[in-house]
Amino acid sequence: MEKFLVAQSTGDVAAMVALQPAIRFNGGGHVNHSIFWSNLAPAGKGGGGAPEGDLAALIDAQFGSFDDFKAKLAADTAAVQGSGWGWLGYDGAADKLVIATCANQDPLSLTGLTPLLGIDIWEHAYYLDYKNVRPDYLAAIWNVVNWGNVAERLAAAKN
């Protein structure tokens, strides 16, 4: 970041442009993980279960059912080549939920969507427990999703 500030203070546009990939990767990693950690909670402390209220109604309306939603998000996320993220985002212009994936550490906000729920599919997120069986990790993640946090993000995005 110091290199960028120096480049910015001296007006070195070429240096600022050259630093963009590192800023996107490292900044995206910070943003993504900040959302991911707030999206998780142990069972009994907000994790697991199913969404309620407006979030549950939107999921049912757009994906058919909560189970259909989980299956689609897990399938799309499992299909990411290499490392990346699976997301439930909110499209404010269309007032709808969107399932999206991003490679590496690209933040969902670059797509114009507001991130609601992020699932880290870098190997560091699951390899110790699930080895190279990403679908098993994606089946288990629902036991620790903090739906209250996801609902709060939706409410904030709508305001």
Side-chain angles (χ1 to χ4, degrees):
M1 187 63 170
E2 184 178 330
K3 288 180 182 181
F4 184 81
L5 295 175
V6 170
Q8 186 179 35
S9 70
T10 62
D12 188 347
V13 175
M16 287 187 281
V17 170
L19 290 167
Q20 289 301 309
I23 293 169
R24 181 176 179 161
F25 182 83
N26 293 301
H30 171 72
V31 168
N32 293 346
H33 283 92
S34 294
I35 294 166
F36 180 63
W37 295 125
S38 69
N39 282 162
L40 303 177
K45 294 188 177 185
E52 299 175 348
D54 189 31
L55 177 60
L58 281 173
I59 287 172
D60 288 345
Q62 291 181 228
F63 300 102
S65 71
F66 181 53
D67 286 337
D68 289 345
F69 157 74
K70 291 191 308 183
K72 176 151 180 49
L73 181 54
D76 287 3
T77 302
V80 171
Q81 294 294 311
S83 299
W85 292 80
W87 291 99
L88 173 64
Y90 177 69
D91 180 342
D95 188 31
K96 70 177 194 170
L97 300 176
V98 178
I99 291 174
T101 59
C102 294
N104 299 314
Q105 294 290 16
D106 288 355
L108 182 66
S109 58
L110 293 177
T111 68
L113 300 172
T114 301
L116 304 177
L117 170 64
I119 301 175
D120 184 350
I121 53 166
W122 281 71
E123 286 181 342
H124 65 247
Y126 62 86
Y127 195 83
L128 289 177
D129 291 326
Y130 301 98
K131 304 296 181 224
N132 61 344
V133 188
R134 187 184 282 177
D136 287 356
Y137 161 70
L138 293 169
I141 194 86
W142 305 111
N143 297 322
V144 292
V145 170
N146 181 348
W147 290 109
N149 177 265
V150 179
E152 289 170 4
R153 290 179 174 285
L154 175 62
K158 287 186 158 203
N159 288 331

